[in-house]
Amino acid sequence: MFSESGILHEIWSNGKARFGMIVFIIFAIIGIFGHFIYPYSPKATFVIWQPPTFAHVFGTDYEGHDVLSQFLYGTGVSLYVGASVALISVAIGTMVGMLSGYYGGIVDNIFMRFVDILLIMPTFPLLVILAAYLPPTNNTTILILSLLSWPFMSRVIRSQVLTLKERPFIKAAVISGMKGFTIIRKEILDHLMPLIIINAVYLLVGAIVAQAGLAFFGLGDLTSINWGTMLYYAQSEDAIVYAAWWWILPPGIAIAIIGIGANIFGNGITEIFGKRSGGA
Amino acid sequence: MITRRYLMVRSAYAVATTFVAIIINFLLPRIIPGNPAVTILLTNFHYLPPGKVKLLEQEFGLTNSSMLYQFERYLVELFHGNLGISYYYYPETVSQVIGTHLPWTLFLLGTSISLSSVLGVITGRMLGFRAGSKTESATSTIFIGLTSLPFFWFAIILILLFAVEVPLFPVGGVFYILDTPGLNFKYISSIAYHAALPILTIVATTFPAFALTMRNTMANQNKEDYILMAKAKGLPERIISKKYAGRNAVLPVATHIILAFGYIVAGAFFVEVVFSYKGIGYVLYEAVTTKDYPLIDGIFLMITVTVIIANFLADLLYAVLDPRVELR
Amino acid sequence: MNEVLLSIRNLNATYNADSNRSIHAIRDLNIDVLRGEVLALVGESGSGKSTMGLSILRLIESPHEIKGNITFNGVDEQVSVFDLDPYKIREFRWKKVAMVFQSAMNILNPVMRVEAQFIDTFEAHGIIDDYDKRINHYLELAGLGKKVRRLYPHELSGGMKQRVNIALALSCEPELLIADEPTTALDVVVQREVLYELRRLKEELNLTIIFITHDLGVASSIADRIAVFYAGRIVEINKKDEITNNPMHPYSKLLLSTAITLKTDKDSVLTQLEGTPPDLSVEIKGCSFYPRCPVRENACKSFTPNDQAKGEWVECIKPGAMNLKEVDNPRGERR
């Protein structure tokens, strides 16, 4: 058993996991403080289609917005969407997974049949049709992405709970008369922590990419400035034809870096906890 | 081996999921508050074009009758293949629009998935043999990077590099307008020429993930008892790596490819948008940007059902590959 | 009858687990296996008995190392196993020496039918005709019906799998059969059947068998001679009756008492040897059993083992010194 700070310490001591953490911390800083450090207002306009200069380090776009300012501002929005989706899906997924795995029986059956159907259903067309009908706001995007993300999470949690249930310390807790909910809260949740962290990270990154994808497809709030809408306007306003690489590169590279960070972080976490528990 | 139980459970899920998709398709236009026809026309055109309201209402089967009756009408129309009329492609029906553009998507997907599977298995096997070496860990790191790239962004970069900066390939399109369709060399080579970058994008962003799975299972094959047994039996190296290690290592990769199928379809759509490749994905993008709801609905249903069927078939294929498959 | 079929000289096997840790699983081992006998290798896990089996087939591969000399006096030729080229060793495996692996292991290729796993063996050894007849024959020898041919491994029970393994092992008519814990994971009834089958086949086919087990009881039910392994060496070897009635090495004695007590009364005398075998990643000086031995004395620390290659010997300064009654309660006595 370990406390929260114990986990953080353990993660920090693994090179790969630390690399991932640093990537997240840097983006979090940009996301939170981006609003204060951008050189211009993201909506201010200058000369259009300018390549990078000292005044505009990342150049300007088709309407003359400063790309750096848009990027710094947009990072916050993209992270907000990603983090919200991760939070909601982790909460629902963990709850459902634990109840399903721990209690089994009818609860498990109903939840899992539902989850199975959601998992068989191809995600992308469903995302498109939901986003097309619902009002185009960032919160709608968060709602839709969360709705489609938790089933997988609950599956993962459930199977881990099933293995945990067979472990001696849980059996001992059951025999000693501890109540189901107390066991879930005190014993099981603790042991699920590595799994939850790793999935939260993947969900966060997955949601950022999915949001960008939806925006790129013209869905969601196109008036909001974020990595996805930057790419959407770059595509629809023919940035390719103008060879405006300075506009296209920043959001794409940011998505790629955060994705690589998540993958390496995931490998690190598996290294730390895989050895100990035999399946994190 | 395919047991009857396996077949039944798998098809039950496929049917149930299809049914859920149909219900979503039926309900979504109807649960939006207000008259969807009016709402949609207002958000779209900012005024009510004469006659369009009636047309839309009929389109959605929106009469004053009960939901159940509406659902019945909807199902009947659906079974006759009637998905309504497209706004954007008016007067073409949704089925016609899908019929014209689907083949291009199938061509793109079929080619990419085959190439990416084969490439993934081959490179993964090579990595597996060299597991632990410097080249291997460097390649694996690059592969992890490649799998983290979003399809559409990679596509944009490829265009920027190989169609704009160095104009080797066309910026978009399916074939040159001037070419006459048919079985002539010029037409076919034009198709291949236009499809090259889109296919390259899909393959480059999908095969590394398959390769990594293959590498992991290959690296673990040496620890398998049946490999030791095969060596003890005096089998030639070639047979061991093909029939024993290879055959068993391919199984997790096959699972991975099946699981990734829906993801690749979505990826192909993005690639179509970036390359203005007029397949179903590009049409869906048009439908979204022009608020062509009947077309969005129709494509949603078509894709969902196609992916479900493809997954179902892939499951059956997998059961043939792995004799141990038994359903829970 | 006393012709030597296999002779092992100065065998050393080292497992290089990672760059800074290597385990010397076998240390300077010498032994002769006689044609037509059943020789049982008995010891705890990690004592080197399975490693000896794998060494005979040269299945210990880089990064692990084997050194020494293994000579096989086949009916038609004499070969030195470690000098064979890659092609010859492939030919040697299964044709001269075949192996029945531990029953708990996942030995059959899960994606091939049973018959296909016979056929690839035949093809590898230049047997090109009468596949059907051969497969049926060996399955029948191992007490299985023809139907098994068309099955996949996961469709077989544990006992059936082990019989398939035996049938496979016999399929190229080897002169020597190594059976490595062939009955361990099986239940008692099936275990007895498999043992009976092996004994019968040995008579019928004039086989030589090396039988590896941790269970002295099982060993005594099948073996002609028994070799007791400890920490990578044979500490005692003798005819079965000698070992079971009058063990000379303290370890053999304790092992025997364990085997007997386990069957009768768990709580009396010993249920388990105290302590653990020595760490094989560091060099061992003197008698390797010294730290656990109830009758150890100072001289044991500098004891250098003598030549083992004779038909019977014991590696101890004062063989037979230990009286079981003395060690009635070895745990209490030694603390």
Side-chain angles (χ1 to χ4, degrees):
Chain A
M1 233 170 285
F2 33 79
S3 63
E4 299 277 323
S5 62
I7 282 199
L8 286 181
H9 185 258
E10 212 159 340
I11 292 173
W12 194 254
S13 58
N14 176 292
K16 289 181 183 170
R18 186 166 58 232
F19 173 83
M21 288 262 269
I22 291 173
V23 169
F24 292 130
I25 291 171
I26 292 175
F27 276 110
I29 291 174
I30 298 178
I32 295 165
F33 299 107
H35 300 66
F36 305 114
I37 55 174
Y38 51 65
Y40 310 100
S41 157
K43 306 224 162 164
T45 50
F46 305 90
V47 181
I48 60 170
W49 296 118
Q50 267 190 79
T53 58
F54 278 112
H56 302 284
V57 181
F58 285 2
T60 61
D61 69 6
Y62 76 114
E63 284 185 334
H65 301 124
D66 179 64
V67 174
L68 177 62
S69 305
Q70 289 223 328
F71 174 74
L72 291 176
Y73 180 87
T75 302
V77 179
S78 286
L79 287 185
Y80 162 73
V81 173
S84 311
V85 173
L87 213 66
I88 298 173
S89 333
V90 164
I92 303 177
T94 309
M95 272 301 276
V96 171
M98 286 200 303
L99 292 178
S100 219
Y102 189 79
Y103 289 107
I106 288 192
V107 185
D108 182 37
N109 248 311
I110 293 173
F111 275 143
M112 285 307 124
R113 291 303 80 79
F114 183 65
V115 165
D116 277 339
I117 287 178
L118 274 176
L119 285 180
I120 295 175
M121 190 88 106
T123 322
F124 180 70
L126 193 56
L127 274 177
V128 169
I129 197 171
L130 287 175
Y133 275 103
L134 298 174
T137 66
N138 280 336
N139 288 339
T140 309
T141 307
I142 293 172
L143 191 80
I144 299 172
L145 290 178
S146 309
L147 182 76
L148 295 183
S149 303
W150 70 264
F152 182 72
M153 172 92 189
S154 71
R155 247 298 149 77
V156 177
I157 294 287
R158 174 179 173 272
S159 56
Q160 184 69 10
V161 170
L162 285 181
T163 12
L164 281 175
K165 246 168 83 180
E166 298 307 312
R167 298 273 186 84
F169 63 88
I170 300 289
K171 291 202 155 167
V174 174
I175 292 166
S176 71
M178 217 189 252
K179 282 216 181 83
F181 248 88
T182 323
I183 296 177
I184 288 186
R185 211 183 60 236
K186 288 198 167 159
E187 307 284 343
I188 295 187
L189 198 55
D190 244 19
H191 284 264
L192 291 175
M193 243 17 223
L195 202 61
I196 292 176
I197 292 177
I198 207 172
N199 275 286
V201 167
Y202 284 134
L203 280 169
L204 171 82
V205 174
I208 289 175
V209 175
Q211 187 272 334
L214 277 181
F216 186 77
F217 227 79
L219 292 163
D221 184 0
L222 297 177
T223 60
S224 143
I225 298 167
N226 57 57
W227 296 346
T229 50
M230 285 177 80
L231 288 169
Y232 170 77
Y233 286 113
Q235 162 74 13
S236 61
E237 301 301 329
D238 288 330
I240 293 173
V241 179
Y242 291 90
W245 50 268
W246 58 86
W247 187 13
I248 300 167
L249 286 184
I253 289 180
I255 293 175
I257 289 178
I258 208 166
I260 294 169
N263 273 321
I264 293 178
F265 181 79
N267 284 354
I269 294 281
T270 321
E271 266 173 27
I272 303 171
F273 299 104
K275 272 184 223 155
R276 200 172 60 204
S277 62
Chain B
M1 238 181 315
I2 301 170
T3 60
R4 179 173 297 165
R5 197 178 128 68
Y6 183 82
L7 203 65
M8 270 168 51
V9 176
R10 282 286 159 207
S11 34
Y13 270 115
V15 170
T17 314
T18 309
F19 194 68
V20 171
I22 290 176
I23 289 180
I24 292 175
N25 211 2
F26 170 76
L27 280 183
L28 262 184
R30 287 171 175 80
I31 53 169
I32 289 182
N35 183 337
V38 174
T39 320
I40 286 161
L41 287 174
L42 279 181
T43 47
N44 210 0
F45 303 101
H46 306 290
Y47 73 101
L48 293 178
K52 273 247 174 182
V53 178
K54 262 272 163 345
L55 193 79
L56 251 182
E57 278 177 344
Q58 271 172 5
E59 206 47 68
F60 286 126
L62 289 173
T63 42
N64 286 328
S65 46
S66 71
M67 275 294 224
L68 212 64
Y69 178 75
Q70 288 183 32
F71 190 52
E72 193 195 313
R73 289 307 314 155
Y74 170 83
L75 284 183
V76 169
E77 292 296 323
L78 194 62
F79 277 104
H80 288 91
N82 185 1
L83 294 166
I85 297 166
S86 161
Y87 297 169
Y88 184 68
Y89 284 90
Y90 189 85
E92 271 187 77
T93 65
V94 170
S95 314
Q96 283 169 329
V97 176
I98 292 177
T100 335
H101 296 93
L102 185 61
W104 295 113
T105 303
L106 291 180
F107 162 64
L108 214 56
L109 272 176
T111 321
S112 313
I113 292 182
S114 330
L115 280 177
S116 145
S117 313
V118 172
L119 207 59
V121 167
I122 293 174
T123 48
R125 212 163 77 165
M126 284 178 354
L127 290 177
F129 280 132
R130 287 168 187 73
S133 71
K134 278 228 171 71
T135 357
E136 186 267 339
S137 63
T139 318
S140 296
T141 314
I142 294 174
F143 277 15
I144 289 179
L146 276 175
T147 54
S148 313
L149 294 178
F151 281 101
F152 52 94
W153 188 70
F154 193 71
I156 295 177
I157 297 302
L158 280 188
I159 293 193
L160 209 53
L161 288 179
F162 299 114
V164 178
E165 295 288 335
V166 187
L168 289 175
F169 290 96
V171 180
V174 178
F175 53 83
Y176 290 122
I177 307 291
L178 293 177
D179 293 335
T180 22
L183 274 177
N184 58 70
F185 176 75
K186 224 177 137 206
Y187 179 64
I188 291 171
S189 63
S190 166
I191 288 175
Y193 185 51
H194 282 80
L197 276 189
I199 289 174
L200 180 64
T201 310
I202 304 175
V203 171
T205 42
T206 51
F207 97 87
F210 302 153
L212 291 175
T213 307
M214 183 76 187
R215 177 205 64 178
N216 292 343
T217 46
M218 267 317 263
N220 286 327
Q221 282 296 310
N222 282 333
K223 295 174 200 143
E224 293 291 348
D225 300 331
Y226 48 80
I227 300 292
L228 182 69
M229 171 74 163
K231 284 180 186 159
K233 287 205 297 187
L235 300 188
E237 203 56 53
R238 168 178 56 85
I239 301 279
I240 296 177
S241 87
K242 211 173 97 196
K243 280 192 176 172
Y244 283 69
R247 183 85 157 66
N248 279 286
V250 157
L251 295 174
V253 182
T255 316
H256 189 162
I257 294 173
I258 294 172
L259 283 176
F261 187 68
Y263 172 75
I264 299 177
V265 171
F269 283 11
F270 282 104
V271 170
E272 285 182 8
V273 172
V274 176
F275 287 94
S276 318
Y277 198 87
K278 282 211 139 194
I280 279 299
Y282 188 78
V283 173
L284 181 62
Y285 173 71
E286 281 179 336
V288 166
T289 45
T290 58
K291 309 266 182 204
D292 188 344
Y293 283 94
L295 194 51
I296 297 178
D297 292 347
I299 293 178
F300 162 74
L301 205 58
M302 193 273 304
I303 313 269
T304 305
V305 172
T306 314
V307 171
I308 291 170
I309 292 174
N311 268 330
F312 176 70
L313 292 179
D315 275 343
L316 295 192
L317 183 72
Y318 185 83
V320 175
L321 273 178
D322 186 350
R324 285 165 299 183
V325 167
E326 292 264 345
L327 216 71
R328 287 162 280 150
Chain C
M1 181 65 197
N2 275 340
E3 186 197 341
V4 173
L5 174 66
L6 181 86
S7 88
I8 298 180
R9 291 292 176 273
N10 303 318
L11 182 67
N12 279 282
T14 310
Y15 290 110
N16 297 314
D18 47 59
S19 49
N20 45 24
R21 212 175 117 82
S22 26
I23 294 155
H24 306 287
I26 289 187
R27 302 175 296 129
D28 290 322
L29 185 103
N30 296 290
I31 190 173
D32 286 335
V33 181
L34 308 178
R35 186 179 290 282
E37 74 169 339
V38 177
L39 169 70
L41 313 183
V42 182
E44 290 165 272
S45 56
S47 59
K49 52 195 196 314
S50 292
T51 306
M52 176 177 140
L54 293 175
S55 303
I56 296 171
L57 281 167
R58 219 170 86 188
L59 281 173
I60 304 208
E61 295 180 326
S62 159
H64 314 304
E65 297 161 49
I66 28 174
K67 275 184 289 192
N69 219 325
I70 296 182
T71 318
F72 184 84
N73 300 300
V75 185
D76 35 88
E77 59 171 342
Q78 186 189 61
V79 291
S80 170
V81 178
F82 292 173
D83 296 334
L84 294 173
D85 65 36
Y87 177 77
K88 289 267 186 192
I89 185 71
R90 213 166 62 54
E91 221 175 29
F92 172 79
R93 290 173 181 165
W94 229 245
K95 188 100 195 161
K96 304 286 182 199
V97 181
M99 189 151 177
V100 178
F101 286 91
Q102 289 187 20
S103 44
M105 289 168 81
N106 184 14
I107 276 306
L108 298 170
N109 186 346
V111 296
M112 281 166 73
R113 290 183 200 277
V114 166
E115 59 183 0
Q117 313 199 32
F118 275 90
I119 292 173
D120 65 12
T121 317
F122 291 148
E123 281 171 347
H125 292 287
I127 301 169
I128 47 161
D129 54 350
D130 292 336
Y131 289 160
D132 285 356
K133 235 165 90 188
R134 283 172 200 273
I135 297 170
N136 290 344
H137 172 68
Y138 289 109
L139 285 176
E140 196 186 328
L141 262 185
L144 289 168
K146 287 179 201 167
K147 267 184 260 164
V148 171
R149 292 178 51 168
R150 301 285 302 160
L151 298 180
Y152 285 101
H154 74 282
E155 297 171 292
L156 304 169
S157 70
M160 283 162 89
K161 252 187 228 171
Q162 204 52 354
R163 284 167 191 272
V164 170
N165 287 342
I166 292 172
L168 261 175
L170 299 175
S171 65
C172 292
E173 297 172 358
E175 292 175 53
L176 173 64
L177 184 71
I178 302 170
D180 186 358
E181 305 264 13
T183 60
T184 305
L186 307 177
D187 68 62
V188 183
V189 180
V190 185
Q191 184 173 346
R192 198 166 300 156
E193 281 173 19
V194 171
L195 283 177
Y196 170 80
E197 216 74 65
L198 275 175
R199 187 84 222 183
R200 182 178 62 81
L201 288 168
K202 186 224 153 218
E203 301 301 338
E204 217 167 286
L205 305 172
N206 193 25
L207 278 171
T208 307
I209 296 180
I210 295 179
F211 191 95
I212 301 171
T213 177
H214 65 278
D215 185 336
L216 199 54
V218 170
S220 61
S221 71
I222 187 168
D224 300 313
R225 277 198 308 157
I226 293 178
V228 179
F229 271 68
Y230 187 78
R233 288 181 67 83
I234 295 171
V235 291
E236 182 170 5
I237 181 166
N238 212 326
K239 293 199 182 62
K240 172 186 74 182
D241 294 338
E242 288 296 315
I243 295 259
T244 50
N245 296 330
N246 187 23
M248 300 304 276
H249 195 281
Y251 180 70
S252 319
K253 231 169 223 185
L254 287 166
L255 205 61
L256 187 70
S257 74
T258 315
I260 295 166
T261 353
L262 274 176
K263 274 177 198 150
T264 52
D265 186 354
K266 276 183 188 167
D267 296 322
S268 73
V269 207
L270 286 155
T271 49
Q272 217 187 329
L273 297 177
E274 198 199 319
T276 49
D279 181 359
L280 294 175
S281 60
V282 292
E283 200 193 333
I284 296 167
K285 288 197 178 95
C287 175
S288 57
F289 191 57
Y290 174 80
R292 294 168 90 186
C293 183
V295 292
R296 62 189 160 177
E297 47 189 62
N298 272 337
C300 301
K301 281 193 211 165
S302 52
F303 173 66
T304 331
N306 53 355
D307 178 26
Q308 307 169 343
K310 294 169 214 138
E312 62 227 36
W313 83 87
V314 54
E315 213 171 81
C316 183
I317 283 187
K318 37 176 191 174
M322 190 176 75
N323 186 335
L324 258 187
K325 283 202 184 97
E326 277 173 29
V327 288
D328 215 25
N329 185 4
R331 292 174 202 196
E333 220 179 59
R334 283 190 43 206
R335 201 41 62 91

